[in-house]
Amino acid sequence: MDERDEDRTGAADDLFQRTADLARWLVERDRLSPVTPPPSPEQLRAELDLSLPAEPRQEGEWFDALREVVERTPSTSSHRFYNQLFAGRIPAATVAEALTALLNSSMYTYKAAGVHTLIERRVIARLCELVGYRSGGGTFAPGGSMANLVALIVARNEAFPRVRDEGGAAAAGAVVYVSDQGHYSIRKNAGMLGIGRANVRAVRSDHEGRMIPSALSEAIAADREAGRTPLCVVATAGTTVMGAFDPIDEIATLCERERIWLHVDAAFGGSFLLHPELRQRLRGVERSNSVAWCAHKMMGVPMPCSAILVRYAERSSSCSGASPGGEDPNLLRRHFNEAADYLFQQDEADLNLGHESLQCGRRNDAFKLWAAWQALGDRGWRERLERQRHLALTAVARIEREPALELLHRPESLCVCFTVSGVASDELCAELSRRGLESVGYGLVRGAKAVRLVTSNPEVTEGEIERFFDDLLAVADDLRRRGGAAAATTESVAATRE
């Protein structure tokens, strides 16, 4: 090793040490200061130099700039973060994510990604097995919205074979159905695909937030009567606010009768398939045509880690790779493959994953999920889910003990929605954050704003759930007193004017 190599090695060692020290600080920050009052955008602009320099900065300078940004980033892994459908860390997955950045592989070919293509195939095969697809495949997409987009593309192309070559006019009159509690990405994706947002039907849901199959049947019949083409039904397994599960089995029966593509948006609730009892929430999912599943939610893998799984037509082992009509039975390859001689040059086509992907260059999202599975195994996933559900039920029990709290639904998953007497939910959530106490959000439940507590982090203790409610009730009392004082002042001013 010459002197320059020694210098480079020493500099790298120093940088890795500083990075490790910053990571340790971050983990400790999550423990000691789990919620920090959020700075305003104006405050951040004043405190940080976020400009892009014309000249290179020294290592110490740019690393300090990174540190300042990290220090001002909200914590999503503390034990007081209940705000999103994701939370916490799995050490093995976090390490794999860091190594993924160092490896900097792209997943389009075996030549570029090597063993990671084998890992992705193995992970996708296991997810398909859990769904119940006897013949199927999948890929990773950059988030659940894009996984849903892939499903809609395949559904559209299958229903309108000319659309891929001739464009959107070939799919005129297509209609998509999703519950009124479904994810906004369905409407957004319909707009991007040329189906049109106006051609997405928001099907009525019941009191618990589940799609009503009879309402779906009526909507399909009305569209057929009007000369439109029902394209795809999106059943949701774990809605964003209430965590509800649509009755997939009933919906599947209707879709089979009507010959409509059934996509299950299981971005949140798909992880219940890892548990022998909880998986019953998704009964009938094996009859669907496609499933979106985000491992960065309940499973705790670093974001993004979103799989789109597609069921293929089953065929005997004696059949060739082509379907009877000469078409590729691999639906993802059928609808996403393009010739690129400069890229796909060698190796088995089955290991050149770019043939089946929405993207060309694609980050490696399978490695961290595979690493988490190595650390937890099937048993660890089951125990994680049981712990998350236990925490949700612990929250329900506290709500039912408190006269000032009203539970708005019986949680099917990890989302617990409730209101606090005499206090606006949005104001209460904002005040908890301003005081640096708890991070929690709100959503609409049957048109009313409700606090939405999500127990995604299994490391949270029962005592911390109780502390959350202690903080919430104390802040609610303060807001009521403040509101009462403001009302009294208003009445006094009005009386003086009279």
Side-chain angles (χ1 to χ4, degrees), residues 312-332:
Y312 302 154
E314 296 178 21
R315 60 186 190 277
S316 68
S317 58
S318 62
C319 291
S320 65
S323 64
E327 294 181 311
D328 192 336
N330 181 324
L331 295 184
L332 290 173

Side-chain angles (χ1 to χ4, degrees), residues 241-396:
V241 177
M242 298 174 72
F245 288 75
D246 290 342
I248 299 172
D249 216 23
E250 291 180 64
I251 295 170
T253 298
L254 175 59
C255 289
E256 288 167 0
R257 184 178 72 235
E258 297 284 345
R259 300 182 64 82
I260 302 172
W261 186 280
L262 173 58
H263 172 62
V264 177
D265 179 4
F268 184 42
S271 300
F272 273 10
L273 292 170
L274 293 156
H275 193 279
E277 284 82 36
L278 294 174
R279 67 175 290 116
Q280 296 306 311
R281 304 272 204 283
L282 292 93
R283 188 173 65 254
V285 68
E286 73 282 354
R287 300 169 66 188
S288 67
N289 298 97
S290 55
V291 173
W293 181 345
C294 291
H296 61 252
K297 295 189 176 180
M298 286 189 195
M299 295 176 78
V301 176
M303 293 195 299
C305 192
S306 300
I308 173 64
L309 311 172
V310 180
R311 177 164 59 92
Y312 302 154
E314 296 178 21
R315 60 186 190 277
S316 68
S317 58
S318 62
C319 291
S320 65
S323 64
E327 294 181 311
D328 192 336
N330 181 324
L331 295 184
L332 290 173
R333 193 162 55 217
R334 184 190 303 177
H335 297 298
F336 291 101
N337 188 25
E338 292 289 348
D341 293 341
Y342 62 87
L343 184 62
F344 305 118
Q345 297 177 345
Q346 61 188 59
D347 308 310
E348 302 173 42
D350 189 57
L351 296 180
N352 287 335
L353 306 183
H355 289 303
E356 304 170 28
S357 175
L358 183 69
Q359 304 150 262
C360 179
R362 178 165 64 87
R363 77 187 311 278
N364 181 357
D365 289 327
F367 187 36
K368 55 195 171 186
L369 177 52
W370 179 85
W373 223 303
Q374 299 302 308
L376 296 180
D378 292 345
R379 178 166 62 87
W381 292 129
R382 290 194 298 272
E383 292 172 352
R384 178 184 177 89
L385 291 164
E386 287 167 2
R387 177 66 185 171
Q388 291 165 320
R389 275 290 291 168
H390 171 73
L391 292 172
L393 296 177
T394 298
V396 168

Side-chain angles (χ1 to χ4, degrees), residues 197-230:
R197 297 186 302 166
N199 292 317
V200 176
R201 305 287 181 256
V203 181
R204 293 196 316 278
S205 58
D206 64 17
H207 188 75
E208 297 298 323
R210 299 172 297 226
M211 182 190 287
I212 301 172
S214 60
L216 172 63
S217 181
E218 291 167 6
I220 291 171
D223 281 319
R224 289 207 188 278
E225 180 69 21
R228 302 185 183 94
T229 303

Side-chain angles (χ1 to χ4, degrees), residues 88-235:
R89 298 187 185 97
I90 296 176
T94 302
V95 170
E97 179 76 328
L99 292 173
T100 295
L102 288 172
L103 291 167
N104 198 32
S105 303
S106 182
M107 297 298 289
Y108 39 45
T109 63
Y110 178 81
K111 182 179 180 180
V115 65
H116 294 280
T117 62
L118 305 180
I119 287 174
E120 179 164 319
R121 285 300 194 202
R122 182 60 62 91
V123 169
I124 290 293
R126 181 69 176 121
L127 296 180
C128 283
E129 179 185 358
L130 287 163
V131 169
Y133 290 165
R134 296 205 301 177
S135 178
T139 185
F140 283 87
S145 292
M146 291 298 98
N148 287 335
L149 176 65
V150 170
L152 284 181
I153 291 172
V154 177
R156 181 199 61 179
N157 292 4
E158 283 291 290
F160 300 95
R162 293 163 40 215
V163 71
R164 191 178 181 202
D165 292 325
E166 299 178 16
V175 183
V176 175
Y177 307 84
V178 64
S179 89
D180 55 17
Q181 302 298 308
H183 196 261
Y184 75 95
S185 65
I186 305 304
R187 190 167 182 266
K188 182 178 182 178
N189 289 338
M192 291 192 292
L193 289 175
I195 293 170
R197 297 186 302 166
N199 292 317
V200 176
R201 305 287 181 256
V203 181
R204 293 196 316 278
S205 58
D206 64 17
H207 188 75
E208 297 298 323
R210 299 172 297 226
M211 182 190 287
I212 301 172
S214 60
L216 172 63
S217 181
E218 291 167 6
I220 291 171
D223 281 319
R224 289 207 188 278
E225 180 69 21
R228 302 185 183 94
T229 303
L231 168 65
C232 176
V233 172
V234 180

